[in-house]
Amino acid sequence: MVLNLNKKKSIKEMTKRHFVSYTNPSSQIAEQFRTIRTNIQFSSIDQKHKTLIITSPSSGEGKTTSAINLAISISQQGERVLLIDANLRRPTLHTSFNLKDSHGLTDVLMGRVSLEEATFQTQIGRLEVLTSGIIPPNPTELIGSKAMSFFIKDIKEEFDVIIFDCPPVLETTDTKLLAGQCDGVVLVLNSGKSDREKAAEANRLLHLVRAKVLGVILNERE
């Protein structure tokens, strides 16, 4: 499904959600996301990180904004990128892109719609977006299901990079379940909000499930 931003919501409206890497590519913040993109690309010499998780210890630390800007930065290189809202409890990605969340990830996993029907193609590089879809009564079971494993295997064949915007590590078990199936995790911290002990605990829990933590994005550092 193609999303025509000119007919629905304009790019100007998207700037309110801080799409800095697209709206102001010459800015320092956009340059920092290009640096993060490069660091991820060079973090593994032998194998490309195709499936990435963006998460944080707690809510309100800027993980969704970071996921969006990283996805934009990678897509601007010509890569085909799929940005997925894997927060099946409190999804926000559809709000950022001014999309209806009538169908998305949960609907694909349950076989209600195809990936092609559920995916929205943006006008930003080769970036496509998959919203969360209907909020299920059993998000943990759905994330840890065989359907999710098959889904990840299939999308790795279709896209160059897949970015999952996941729930905070300390608030649900969903992210830990998904982290074990993906190539790398980026932890987002807010310099003014993040608690050091919670950040350390989030990192410990990710390592317990053998997730590969690629690094940390520190927001709002003065």
Side-chain angles (χ1 to χ4, degrees):
M1 184 178 295
V2 176
L3 171 64
N4 189 326
L5 293 172
N6 290 329
K7 290 183 179 179
K8 296 198 175 187
K9 296 294 183 178
S10 69
I11 291 294
K12 288 184 179 179
E13 291 175 333
M14 290 169 62
T15 62
K16 295 185 295 185
R17 308 298 294 182
H18 307 294
F19 285 58
V20 180
S21 293
Y22 179 81
T23 59
N24 192 4
S26 61
S27 67
Q28 183 179 1
I29 294 176
E31 178 60 32
Q32 289 172 343
F33 275 104
R34 286 192 288 271
T35 300
I36 294 168
R37 175 192 70 194
T38 301
N39 289 342
I40 290 173
Q41 291 170 342
F42 282 93
S43 62
S44 177
I45 299 174
D46 299 324
Q47 185 177 3
K48 179 179 180 179
H49 296 305
K50 294 197 68 172
T51 49
L52 301 172
I53 284 179
I54 310 298
T55 187
S56 57
S58 306
S59 301
E61 300 191 65
K63 65 177 181 60
T64 297
T65 299
S66 296
I68 291 170
N69 279 282
L70 180 59
I72 291 172
S73 183
I74 294 173
S75 71
Q76 287 172 335
Q77 276 193 319
E79 303 260 33
R80 189 181 180 201
V81 180
L82 180 61
L83 176 60
I84 302 174
D85 194 338
N87 190 338
L88 305 186
R89 301 167 190 269
R90 298 175 58 188
T92 59
L93 202 58
H94 64 286
T95 303
S96 300
F97 281 88
N98 296 298
L99 296 172
K100 291 182 179 179
D101 199 18
S102 55
H103 51 255
L105 175 61
T106 56
D107 304 279
V108 174
L109 293 177
M110 297 175 71
R112 292 173 175 169
V113 296
S114 67
L115 176 63
E116 185 178 2
E117 291 173 319
T119 302
F120 293 88
Q121 182 177 331
T122 73
Q123 295 177 339
I124 304 173
R126 300 178 67 197
L127 174 62
E128 298 179 41
V129 174
L130 181 62
T131 62
S132 67
I134 186 172
I135 297 177
N138 56 340
T140 301
E141 287 79 2
L142 201 56
I143 290 292
S145 67
K146 289 184 179 179
M148 175 61 86
S149 298
F150 292 140
F151 170 74
I152 294 174
K153 182 180 178 180
D154 289 341
I155 57 177
K156 288 177 75 171
E157 296 179 0
E158 291 193 40
F159 292 87
D160 298 311
V161 177
I162 302 99
I163 296 178
F164 291 92
D165 177 20
C166 286
V169 179
L170 301 183
E171 295 181 7
T172 73
T173 59
D174 303 1
T175 300
K176 295 188 288 292
L177 288 173
L178 192 57
Q181 302 184 62
C182 292
D183 299 329
V185 178
V186 177
L187 197 60
V188 178
L189 306 177
N190 185 297
S191 62
K193 295 181 180 179
S194 296
D195 181 274
R196 183 174 297 182
E197 292 183 1
K198 288 183 177 180
E201 177 64 8
N203 185 58
R204 186 186 71 83
L205 291 174
L206 288 169
H207 279 93
L208 279 178
V209 295
R210 298 183 179 179
K212 185 174 183 180
V213 180
L214 302 178
V216 173
I217 296 176
L218 185 60
N219 283 325
E220 298 185 21
R221 182 179 180 182
E222 297 182 357

